[in-house]
PDB file of all heavy atoms in Angstrom:
ATOM      1  N   ALA S 501       0.844  -1.238   0.030  1.00 87.00           N
ATOM      2  CA  ALA S 501       0.024  -0.026   0.002  1.00 87.00           C
ATOM      3  C   ALA S 501       0.849   1.286  -0.022  1.00 87.00           C
ATOM      4  O   ALA S 501       0.461   2.271  -0.544  1.00 87.00           O
ATOM      5  CB  ALA S 501      -0.923   0.015   1.188  1.00 87.00           C
ATOM      6  N   LYS S 502       1.971   1.160   0.567  1.00 88.00           N
ATOM      7  CA  LYS S 502       2.981   2.301   0.644  1.00 88.00           C
ATOM      8  C   LYS S 502       4.025   2.221  -0.498  1.00 88.00           C
ATOM      9  O   LYS S 502       4.932   3.021  -0.522  1.00 88.00           O
ATOM     10  CB  LYS S 502       3.650   2.352   2.032  1.00 88.00           C
ATOM     11  CG  LYS S 502       2.680   2.605   3.166  1.00 88.00           C
ATOM     12  CD  LYS S 502       3.523   2.706   4.530  1.00 88.00           C
ATOM     13  CE  LYS S 502       2.535   3.040   5.622  1.00 88.00           C
ATOM     14  NZ  LYS S 502       3.258   3.112   6.952  1.00 88.00           N
ATOM     15  N   ARG S 503       3.895   1.173  -1.294  1.00 88.00           N
ATOM     16  CA  ARG S 503       4.858   0.969  -2.368  1.00 88.00           C
ATOM     17  C   ARG S 503       6.305   0.938  -1.836  1.00 88.00           C
ATOM     18  O   ARG S 503       7.218   1.538  -2.400  1.00 88.00           O
ATOM     19  CB  ARG S 503       4.678   2.050  -3.473  1.00 88.00           C
ATOM     20  CG  ARG S 503       3.367   1.930  -4.122  1.00 88.00           C
ATOM     21  CD  ARG S 503       3.355   2.815  -5.357  1.00 88.00           C
ATOM     22  NE  ARG S 503       3.700   4.296  -4.963  1.00 88.00           N
ATOM     23  CZ  ARG S 503       2.885   5.048  -4.411  1.00 88.00           C
ATOM     24  NH1 ARG S 503       1.589   4.698  -4.135  1.00 88.00           N
ATOM     25  NH2 ARG S 503       3.207   6.233  -4.186  1.00 88.00           N
ATOM     26  N   THR S 504       6.455   0.332  -0.704  1.00 92.00           N
ATOM     27  CA  THR S 504       7.838   0.329   0.015  1.00 92.00           C
ATOM     28  C   THR S 504       8.229  -1.079   0.430  1.00 92.00           C
ATOM     29  O   THR S 504       7.453  -1.839   0.890  1.00 92.00           O
ATOM     30  CB  THR S 504       7.759   1.249   1.223  1.00 92.00           C
ATOM     31  OG1 THR S 504       7.352   2.574   0.830  1.00 92.00           O
ATOM     32  CG2 THR S 504       9.126   1.336   1.909  1.00 92.00           C
ATOM     33  N   VAL S 505       9.564  -1.250   0.207  1.00 95.00           N
ATOM     34  CA  VAL S 505      10.206  -2.545   0.649  1.00 95.00           C
ATOM     35  C   VAL S 505      11.232  -2.116   1.677  1.00 95.00           C
ATOM     36  O   VAL S 505      11.944  -1.096   1.574  1.00 95.00           O
ATOM     37  CB  VAL S 505      10.835  -3.264  -0.495  1.00 95.00           C
ATOM     38  CG1 VAL S 505      11.565  -4.489  -0.034  1.00 95.00           C
ATOM     39  CG2 VAL S 505       9.853  -3.617  -1.543  1.00 95.00           C
ATOM     40  N   TYR S 506      11.296  -2.953   2.722  1.00 98.00           N
ATOM     41  CA  TYR S 506      12.285  -2.703   3.843  1.00 98.00           C
ATOM     42  C   TYR S 506      13.369  -3.681   4.009  1.00 98.00           C
ATOM     43  O   TYR S 506      13.171  -4.870   3.586  1.00 98.00           O
ATOM     44  CB  TYR S 506      11.456  -2.599   5.140  1.00 98.00           C
ATOM     45  CG  TYR S 506      10.325  -1.615   5.151  1.00 98.00           C
ATOM     46  CD1 TYR S 506       8.995  -2.017   4.903  1.00 98.00           C
ATOM     47  CD2 TYR S 506      10.537  -0.212   5.392  1.00 98.00           C
ATOM     48  CE1 TYR S 506       7.989  -1.144   4.862  1.00 98.00           C
ATOM     49  CE2 TYR S 506       9.507   0.655   5.338  1.00 98.00           C
ATOM     50  CZ  TYR S 506       8.182   0.227   5.112  1.00 98.00           C
ATOM     51  OH  TYR S 506       7.142   1.134   5.075  1.00 98.00           O
ATOM     52  N   LEU S 507      14.465  -3.296   4.547  1.00 98.00           N
ATOM     53  CA  LEU S 507      15.466  -4.252   5.014  1.00 98.00           C
ATOM     54  C   LEU S 507      15.890  -3.891   6.362  1.00 98.00           C
ATOM     55  O   LEU S 507      16.527  -2.852   6.584  1.00 98.00           O
ATOM     56  CB  LEU S 507      16.623  -4.194   4.059  1.00 98.00           C
ATOM     57  CG  LEU S 507      17.739  -5.291   4.275  1.00 98.00           C
ATOM     58  CD1 LEU S 507      17.187  -6.641   3.915  1.00 98.00           C
ATOM     59  CD2 LEU S 507      19.050  -4.937   3.397  1.00 98.00           C
ATOM     60  N   GLN S 508      15.476  -4.629   7.337  1.00 98.00           N
ATOM     61  CA  GLN S 508      15.953  -4.460   8.648  1.00 98.00           C
ATOM     62  C   GLN S 508      17.233  -5.253   8.904  1.00 98.00           C
ATOM     63  O   GLN S 508      17.288  -6.448   8.655  1.00 98.00           O
ATOM     64  CB  GLN S 508      14.806  -5.091   9.607  1.00 98.00           C
ATOM     65  CG  GLN S 508      15.212  -5.001  11.152  1.00 98.00           C
ATOM     66  CD  GLN S 508      15.256  -3.674  11.653  1.00 98.00           C
ATOM     67  OE1 GLN S 508      14.426  -2.826  11.303  1.00 98.00           O
ATOM     68  NE2 GLN S 508      16.324  -3.311  12.403  1.00 98.00           N
ATOM     69  N   MET S 509      18.245  -4.503   9.357  1.00 98.00           N
ATOM     70  CA  MET S 509      19.563  -5.118   9.496  1.00 98.00           C
ATOM     71  C   MET S 509      19.952  -4.946  10.991  1.00 98.00           C
ATOM     72  O   MET S 509      20.077  -3.910  11.551  1.00 98.00           O
ATOM     73  CB  MET S 509      20.558  -4.300   8.568  1.00 98.00           C
ATOM     74  CG  MET S 509      20.093  -4.306   7.158  1.00 98.00           C
ATOM     75  SD  MET S 509      21.408  -3.559   6.122  1.00 98.00           S
ATOM     76  CE  MET S 509      21.514  -1.849   6.760  1.00 98.00           C
ATOM     77  N   ASN S 510      20.177  -6.097  11.559  1.00 98.00           N
ATOM     78  CA  ASN S 510      20.573  -6.250  12.980  1.00 98.00           C
ATOM     79  C   ASN S 510      21.988  -6.768  13.109  1.00 98.00           C
ATOM     80  O   ASN S 510      22.518  -7.419  12.189  1.00 98.00           O
ATOM     81  CB  ASN S 510      19.550  -7.061  13.797  1.00 98.00           C
ATOM     82  CG  ASN S 510      18.163  -6.441  13.723  1.00 98.00           C
ATOM     83  OD1 ASN S 510      17.981  -5.200  13.729  1.00 98.00           O
ATOM     84  ND2 ASN S 510      17.203  -7.385  13.709  1.00 98.00           N
ATOM     85  N   THR S 511      22.537  -6.633  14.228  1.00 98.00           N
ATOM     86  CA  THR S 511      23.859  -7.129  14.496  1.00 98.00           C
ATOM     87  C   THR S 511      24.912  -6.806  13.383  1.00 98.00           C
ATOM     88  O   THR S 511      25.556  -7.687  12.843  1.00 98.00           O
ATOM     89  CB  THR S 511      23.814  -8.625  14.784  1.00 98.00           C
ATOM     90  OG1 THR S 511      22.653  -9.005  15.502  1.00 98.00           O
ATOM     91  CG2 THR S 511      25.045  -9.166  15.528  1.00 98.00           C
ATOM     92  N   LEU S 512      24.837  -5.582  13.053  1.00 98.00           N
ATOM     93  CA  LEU S 512      25.682  -5.146  11.917  1.00 98.00           C
ATOM     94  C   LEU S 512      27.175  -5.338  12.119  1.00 98.00           C
ATOM     95  O   LEU S 512      27.634  -5.195  13.359  1.00 98.00           O
ATOM     96  CB  LEU S 512      25.382  -3.674  11.571  1.00 98.00           C
ATOM     97  CG  LEU S 512      24.073  -3.540  10.756  1.00 98.00           C
ATOM     98  CD1 LEU S 512      23.626  -2.083  10.896  1.00 98.00           C
ATOM     99  CD2 LEU S 512      24.217  -3.934   9.351  1.00 98.00           C
ATOM    100  N   LYS S 513      27.919  -5.591  11.173  1.00 98.00           N
ATOM    101  CA  LYS S 513      29.361  -5.820  11.167  1.00 98.00           C
ATOM    102  C   LYS S 513      30.094  -4.902  10.255  1.00 98.00           C
ATOM    103  O   LYS S 513      29.443  -4.438   9.278  1.00 98.00           O
ATOM    104  CB  LYS S 513      29.657  -7.280  10.729  1.00 98.00           C
ATOM    105  CG  LYS S 513      28.934  -8.370  11.515  1.00 98.00           C
ATOM    106  CD  LYS S 513      29.160  -9.653  10.896  1.00 98.00           C
ATOM    107  CE  LYS S 513      28.470 -10.813  11.614  1.00 98.00           C
ATOM    108  NZ  LYS S 513      28.663 -12.157  10.962  1.00 98.00           N
ATOM    109  N   PRO S 514      31.297  -4.556  10.542  1.00 97.00           N
ATOM    110  CA  PRO S 514      32.030  -3.641   9.582  1.00 97.00           C
ATOM    111  C   PRO S 514      32.009  -4.144   8.149  1.00 97.00           C
ATOM    112  O   PRO S 514      31.982  -3.326   7.283  1.00 97.00           O
ATOM    113  CB  PRO S 514      33.462  -3.674  10.201  1.00 97.00           C
ATOM    114  CG  PRO S 514      33.194  -3.929  11.663  1.00 97.00           C
ATOM    115  CD  PRO S 514      32.139  -4.929  11.746  1.00 97.00           C
ATOM    116  N   GLU S 515      31.994  -5.442   7.938  1.00 97.00           N
ATOM    117  CA  GLU S 515      31.921  -5.927   6.552  1.00 97.00           C
ATOM    118  C   GLU S 515      30.574  -5.759   5.888  1.00 97.00           C
ATOM    119  O   GLU S 515      30.383  -5.999   4.667  1.00 97.00           O
ATOM    120  CB  GLU S 515      32.316  -7.408   6.487  1.00 97.00           C
ATOM    121  CG  GLU S 515      31.578  -8.345   7.467  1.00 97.00           C
ATOM    122  CD  GLU S 515      32.295  -8.509   8.783  1.00 97.00           C
ATOM    123  OE1 GLU S 515      32.862  -7.603   9.291  1.00 97.00           O
ATOM    124  OE2 GLU S 515      32.314  -9.710   9.236  1.00 97.00           O
ATOM    125  N   ASP S 516      29.620  -5.263   6.606  1.00 98.00           N
ATOM    126  CA  ASP S 516      28.313  -4.825   5.990  1.00 98.00           C
ATOM    127  C   ASP S 516      28.349  -3.448   5.407  1.00 98.00           C
ATOM    128  O   ASP S 516      27.466  -2.987   4.751  1.00 98.00           O
ATOM    129  CB  ASP S 516      27.198  -4.863   6.942  1.00 98.00           C
ATOM    130  CG  ASP S 516      26.956  -6.299   7.571  1.00 98.00           C
ATOM    131  OD1 ASP S 516      26.885  -7.245   6.755  1.00 98.00           O
ATOM    132  OD2 ASP S 516      26.729  -6.449   8.791  1.00 98.00           O
ATOM    133  N   THR S 517      29.480  -2.737   5.622  1.00 98.00           N
ATOM    134  CA  THR S 517      29.656  -1.448   5.035  1.00 98.00           C
ATOM    135  C   THR S 517      29.598  -1.510   3.485  1.00 98.00           C
ATOM    136  O   THR S 517      30.341  -2.239   2.904  1.00 98.00           O
ATOM    137  CB  THR S 517      30.981  -0.828   5.479  1.00 98.00           C
ATOM    138  OG1 THR S 517      30.914  -0.644   6.850  1.00 98.00           O
ATOM    139  CG2 THR S 517      31.214   0.532   4.785  1.00 98.00           C
ATOM    140  N   ALA S 518      28.633  -0.702   2.957  1.00 98.00           N
ATOM    141  CA  ALA S 518      28.449  -0.780   1.476  1.00 98.00           C
ATOM    142  C   ALA S 518      27.348   0.265   1.092  1.00 98.00           C
ATOM    143  O   ALA S 518      26.687   0.776   2.000  1.00 98.00           O
ATOM    144  CB  ALA S 518      28.039  -2.138   1.021  1.00 98.00           C
ATOM    145  N   VAL S 519      27.224   0.470  -0.169  1.00 98.00           N
ATOM    146  CA  VAL S 519      26.094   1.211  -0.677  1.00 98.00           C
ATOM    147  C   VAL S 519      24.993   0.156  -0.966  1.00 98.00           C
ATOM    148  O   VAL S 519      25.268  -0.830  -1.676  1.00 98.00           O
ATOM    149  CB  VAL S 519      26.364   1.967  -1.944  1.00 98.00           C
ATOM    150  CG1 VAL S 519      25.079   2.698  -2.499  1.00 98.00           C
ATOM    151  CG2 VAL S 519      27.480   3.025  -1.593  1.00 98.00           C
ATOM    152  N   TYR S 520      23.798   0.267  -0.375  1.00 98.00           N
ATOM    153  CA  TYR S 520      22.756  -0.629  -0.613  1.00 98.00           C
ATOM    154  C   TYR S 520      21.731  -0.100  -1.654  1.00 98.00           C
ATOM    155  O   TYR S 520      21.339   1.082  -1.570  1.00 98.00           O
ATOM    156  CB  TYR S 520      22.029  -0.839   0.778  1.00 98.00           C
ATOM    157  CG  TYR S 520      22.854  -1.710   1.685  1.00 98.00           C
ATOM    158  CD1 TYR S 520      24.011  -1.247   2.336  1.00 98.00           C
ATOM    159  CD2 TYR S 520      22.442  -3.048   1.948  1.00 98.00           C
ATOM    160  CE1 TYR S 520      24.751  -2.077   3.175  1.00 98.00           C
ATOM    161  CE2 TYR S 520      23.201  -3.863   2.856  1.00 98.00           C
ATOM    162  CZ  TYR S 520      24.328  -3.330   3.353  1.00 98.00           C
ATOM    163  OH  TYR S 520      25.077  -4.190   4.205  1.00 98.00           O
ATOM    164  N   TYR S 521      21.317  -1.030  -2.522  1.00 97.00           N
ATOM    165  CA  TYR S 521      20.507  -0.626  -3.535  1.00 97.00           C
ATOM    166  C   TYR S 521      19.203  -1.608  -3.599  1.00 97.00           C
ATOM    167  O   TYR S 521      19.285  -2.785  -3.219  1.00 97.00           O
ATOM    168  CB  TYR S 521      21.200  -0.851  -4.944  1.00 97.00           C
ATOM    169  CG  TYR S 521      22.337  -0.080  -5.166  1.00 97.00           C
ATOM    170  CD1 TYR S 521      23.625  -0.452  -4.783  1.00 97.00           C
ATOM    171  CD2 TYR S 521      22.241   1.196  -5.818  1.00 97.00           C
ATOM    172  CE1 TYR S 521      24.682   0.282  -4.967  1.00 97.00           C
ATOM    173  CE2 TYR S 521      23.337   1.907  -6.045  1.00 97.00           C
ATOM    174  CZ  TYR S 521      24.605   1.474  -5.667  1.00 97.00           C
ATOM    175  OH  TYR S 521      25.733   2.242  -5.887  1.00 97.00           O
ATOM    176  N   CYS S 522      18.115  -1.125  -4.079  1.00 95.00           N
ATOM    177  CA  CYS S 522      16.955  -2.009  -4.283  1.00 95.00           C
ATOM    178  C   CYS S 522      16.662  -2.085  -5.730  1.00 95.00           C
ATOM    179  O   CYS S 522      17.008  -1.087  -6.461  1.00 95.00           O
ATOM    180  CB  CYS S 522      15.789  -1.501  -3.444  1.00 95.00           C
ATOM    181  SG  CYS S 522      15.219   0.153  -3.898  1.00 95.00           S
ATOM    182  N   ALA S 523      15.904  -3.094  -6.119  1.00 93.00           N
ATOM    183  CA  ALA S 523      15.672  -3.321  -7.549  1.00 93.00           C
ATOM    184  C   ALA S 523      14.493  -4.278  -7.640  1.00 93.00           C
ATOM    185  O   ALA S 523      14.116  -4.966  -6.690  1.00 93.00           O
ATOM    186  CB  ALA S 523      16.842  -3.906  -8.352  1.00 93.00           C
ATOM    187  N   ALA S 524      13.889  -4.253  -8.802  1.00 92.00           N
ATOM    188  CA  ALA S 524      12.707  -5.138  -9.062  1.00 92.00           C
ATOM    189  C   ALA S 524      13.202  -6.436  -9.722  1.00 92.00           C
ATOM    190  O   ALA S 524      14.091  -6.468 -10.609  1.00 92.00           O
ATOM    191  CB  ALA S 524      11.760  -4.388 -10.033  1.00 92.00           C
ATOM    192  N   LEU S 525      12.740  -7.560  -9.282  1.00 94.00           N
ATOM    193  CA  LEU S 525      13.069  -8.816  -9.838  1.00 94.00           C
ATOM    194  C   LEU S 525      12.356  -9.018 -11.124  1.00 94.00           C
ATOM    195  O   LEU S 525      11.156  -8.965 -11.163  1.00 94.00           O
ATOM    196  CB  LEU S 525      12.779 -10.067  -8.894  1.00 94.00           C
ATOM    197  CG  LEU S 525      13.079 -11.359  -9.414  1.00 94.00           C
ATOM    198  CD1 LEU S 525      14.517 -11.561  -9.695  1.00 94.00           C
ATOM    199  CD2 LEU S 525      12.485 -12.426  -8.378  1.00 94.00           C
ATOM    200  N   LEU S 526      13.130  -9.203 -12.208  1.00 92.00           N
ATOM    201  CA  LEU S 526      12.538  -9.342 -13.553  1.00 92.00           C
ATOM    202  C   LEU S 526      12.120 -10.747 -13.961  1.00 92.00           C
ATOM    203  O   LEU S 526      11.240 -10.958 -14.642  1.00 92.00           O
ATOM    204  CB  LEU S 526      13.428  -8.757 -14.569  1.00 92.00           C
ATOM    205  CG  LEU S 526      13.903  -7.223 -14.419  1.00 92.00           C
ATOM    206  CD1 LEU S 526      14.824  -6.919 -15.477  1.00 92.00           C
ATOM    207  CD2 LEU S 526      12.655  -6.401 -14.349  1.00 92.00           C
ATOM    208  N   ARG S 527      12.930 -11.755 -13.382  1.00 94.00           N
ATOM    209  CA  ARG S 527      12.734 -13.137 -13.744  1.00 94.00           C
ATOM    210  C   ARG S 527      13.511 -14.052 -12.792  1.00 94.00           C
ATOM    211  O   ARG S 527      14.345 -13.629 -12.152  1.00 94.00           O
ATOM    212  CB  ARG S 527      13.341 -13.328 -15.202  1.00 94.00           C
ATOM    213  CG  ARG S 527      14.812 -12.871 -15.335  1.00 94.00           C
ATOM    214  CD  ARG S 527      15.250 -12.901 -16.795  1.00 94.00           C
ATOM    215  NE  ARG S 527      16.481 -12.235 -16.894  1.00 94.00           N
ATOM    216  CZ  ARG S 527      16.556 -10.931 -17.260  1.00 94.00           C
ATOM    217  NH1 ARG S 527      15.501 -10.285 -17.528  1.00 94.00           N
ATOM    218  NH2 ARG S 527      17.780 -10.308 -17.340  1.00 94.00           N
ATOM    219  N   ASN S 528      13.117 -15.339 -12.841  1.00 95.00           N
ATOM    220  CA  ASN S 528      13.892 -16.330 -12.091  1.00 95.00           C
ATOM    221  C   ASN S 528      13.907 -16.107 -10.621  1.00 95.00           C
ATOM    222  O   ASN S 528      14.880 -15.853 -10.014  1.00 95.00           O
ATOM    223  CB  ASN S 528      15.328 -16.396 -12.645  1.00 95.00           C
ATOM    224  CG  ASN S 528      15.453 -16.692 -14.139  1.00 95.00           C
ATOM    225  OD1 ASN S 528      14.567 -17.338 -14.716  1.00 95.00           O
ATOM    226  ND2 ASN S 528      16.534 -16.229 -14.702  1.00 95.00           N
ATOM    227  N   TRP S 529      12.736 -16.367 -10.000  1.00 96.00           N
ATOM    228  CA  TRP S 529      12.610 -16.359  -8.540  1.00 96.00           C
ATOM    229  C   TRP S 529      13.666 -17.266  -7.968  1.00 96.00           C
ATOM    230  O   TRP S 529      13.839 -18.414  -8.343  1.00 96.00           O
ATOM    231  CB  TRP S 529      11.254 -16.731  -8.055  1.00 96.00           C
ATOM    232  CG  TRP S 529      11.111 -16.875  -6.617  1.00 96.00           C
ATOM    233  CD1 TRP S 529      10.982 -18.025  -5.922  1.00 96.00           C
ATOM    234  CD2 TRP S 529      11.144 -15.845  -5.629  1.00 96.00           C
ATOM    235  NE1 TRP S 529      10.904 -17.775  -4.531  1.00 96.00           N
ATOM    236  CE2 TRP S 529      11.053 -16.408  -4.410  1.00 96.00           C
ATOM    237  CE3 TRP S 529      11.195 -14.382  -5.720  1.00 96.00           C
ATOM    238  CZ2 TRP S 529      11.001 -15.690  -3.216  1.00 96.00           C
ATOM    239  CZ3 TRP S 529      11.175 -13.662  -4.616  1.00 96.00           C
ATOM    240  CH2 TRP S 529      11.063 -14.260  -3.365  1.00 96.00           C
ATOM    241  N   GLY S 530      14.396 -16.799  -6.969  1.00 96.00           N
ATOM    242  CA  GLY S 530      15.515 -17.506  -6.422  1.00 96.00           C
ATOM    243  C   GLY S 530      16.935 -17.139  -6.927  1.00 96.00           C
ATOM    244  O   GLY S 530      17.945 -17.543  -6.368  1.00 96.00           O
ATOM    245  N   THR S 531      16.880 -16.264  -7.975  1.00 97.00           N
ATOM    246  CA  THR S 531      18.155 -15.802  -8.506  1.00 97.00           C
ATOM    247  C   THR S 531      18.840 -14.830  -7.604  1.00 97.00           C
ATOM    248  O   THR S 531      18.216 -14.170  -6.815  1.00 97.00           O
ATOM    249  CB  THR S 531      17.930 -15.203  -9.888  1.00 97.00           C
ATOM    250  OG1 THR S 531      19.183 -14.831 -10.462  1.00 97.00           O
ATOM    251  CG2 THR S 531      17.110 -13.926  -9.772  1.00 97.00           C
ATOM    252  N   THR S 532      20.208 -14.821  -7.771  1.00 97.00           N
ATOM    253  CA  THR S 532      21.013 -13.814  -6.967  1.00 97.00           C
ATOM    254  C   THR S 532      21.753 -13.010  -8.035  1.00 97.00           C
ATOM    255  O   THR S 532      22.611 -12.150  -7.566  1.00 97.00           O
ATOM    256  CB  THR S 532      21.888 -14.483  -6.029  1.00 97.00           C
ATOM    257  OG1 THR S 532      22.878 -15.381  -6.706  1.00 97.00           O
ATOM    258  CG2 THR S 532      21.168 -15.260  -4.894  1.00 97.00           C
ATOM    259  N   LEU S 533      21.478 -13.140  -9.266  1.00 97.00           N
ATOM    260  CA  LEU S 533      22.209 -12.533 -10.375  1.00 97.00           C
ATOM    261  C   LEU S 533      21.738 -11.128 -10.548  1.00 97.00           C
ATOM    262  O   LEU S 533      20.571 -10.799 -10.716  1.00 97.00           O
ATOM    263  CB  LEU S 533      22.099 -13.257 -11.645  1.00 97.00           C
ATOM    264  CG  LEU S 533      22.655 -14.648 -11.711  1.00 97.00           C
ATOM    265  CD1 LEU S 533      22.498 -15.343 -13.044  1.00 97.00           C
ATOM    266  CD2 LEU S 533      24.149 -14.669 -11.278  1.00 97.00           C
ATOM    267  N   GLU S 534      22.672 -10.154 -10.555  1.00 97.00           N
ATOM    268  CA  GLU S 534      22.283  -8.715 -10.757  1.00 97.00           C
ATOM    269  C   GLU S 534      21.501  -8.546 -12.065  1.00 97.00           C
ATOM    270  O   GLU S 534      20.647  -7.742 -12.161  1.00 97.00           O
ATOM    271  CB  GLU S 534      23.536  -7.933 -10.818  1.00 97.00           C
ATOM    272  CG  GLU S 534      23.391  -6.449 -10.929  1.00 97.00           C
ATOM    273  CD  GLU S 534      24.717  -5.716 -10.829  1.00 97.00           C
ATOM    274  OE1 GLU S 534      25.735  -6.320 -10.526  1.00 97.00           O
ATOM    275  OE2 GLU S 534      24.710  -4.581 -11.168  1.00 97.00           O
ATOM    276  N   ALA S 535      21.864  -9.301 -13.090  1.00 97.00           N
ATOM    277  CA  ALA S 535      21.260  -9.177 -14.442  1.00 97.00           C
ATOM    278  C   ALA S 535      19.775  -9.572 -14.458  1.00 97.00           C
ATOM    279  O   ALA S 535      19.029  -9.189 -15.396  1.00 97.00           O
ATOM    280  CB  ALA S 535      21.994 -10.028 -15.428  1.00 97.00           C
ATOM    281  N   ASP S 536      19.297 -10.290 -13.446  1.00 97.00           N
ATOM    282  CA  ASP S 536      17.878 -10.590 -13.341  1.00 97.00           C
ATOM    283  C   ASP S 536      17.049  -9.565 -12.651  1.00 97.00           C
ATOM    284  O   ASP S 536      15.842  -9.808 -12.507  1.00 97.00           O
ATOM    285  CB  ASP S 536      17.759 -12.001 -12.682  1.00 97.00           C
ATOM    286  CG  ASP S 536      18.229 -13.128 -13.466  1.00 97.00           C
ATOM    287  OD1 ASP S 536      18.224 -13.002 -14.695  1.00 97.00           O
ATOM    288  OD2 ASP S 536      18.720 -14.174 -12.925  1.00 97.00           O
ATOM    289  N   PHE S 537      17.667  -8.511 -12.241  1.00 95.00           N
ATOM    290  CA  PHE S 537      16.936  -7.397 -11.595  1.00 95.00           C
ATOM    291  C   PHE S 537      17.010  -6.172 -12.440  1.00 95.00           C
ATOM    292  O   PHE S 537      17.934  -6.006 -13.231  1.00 95.00           O
ATOM    293  CB  PHE S 537      17.483  -7.166 -10.207  1.00 95.00           C
ATOM    294  CG  PHE S 537      17.388  -8.273  -9.177  1.00 95.00           C
ATOM    295  CD1 PHE S 537      18.151  -9.389  -9.173  1.00 95.00           C
ATOM    296  CD2 PHE S 537      16.330  -8.095  -8.236  1.00 95.00           C
ATOM    297  CE1 PHE S 537      17.911 -10.424  -8.300  1.00 95.00           C
ATOM    298  CE2 PHE S 537      16.117  -9.077  -7.264  1.00 95.00           C
ATOM    299  CZ  PHE S 537      16.950 -10.278  -7.301  1.00 95.00           C
TER     300      PHE S 537
END
């Protein structure tokens, strides 16, 4: 209803440091490939 997706991140570690992006999945549920988003 709010057209919003969330990512709750707990117990953060220094290796979680990054720029975080969201995207729409275009195909292949279960994929982790960037090209499928």
Side-chain angles (χ1 to χ4, degrees):
K502 295 182 178 179
R503 297 187 306 280
T504 303
V505 177
Y506 304 97
L507 185 68
Q508 176 68 43
M509 304 188 296
N510 299 327
T511 319
L512 283 161
K513 305 174 181 180
E515 51 264 45
D516 295 318
T517 295
V519 177
Y520 284 70
Y521 299 89
C522 59
L525 176 62
L526 303 177
R527 53 187 169 267
N528 302 332
W529 173 253
T531 183
T532 62
L533 298 178
E534 183 179 347
D536 289 332
F537 291 80

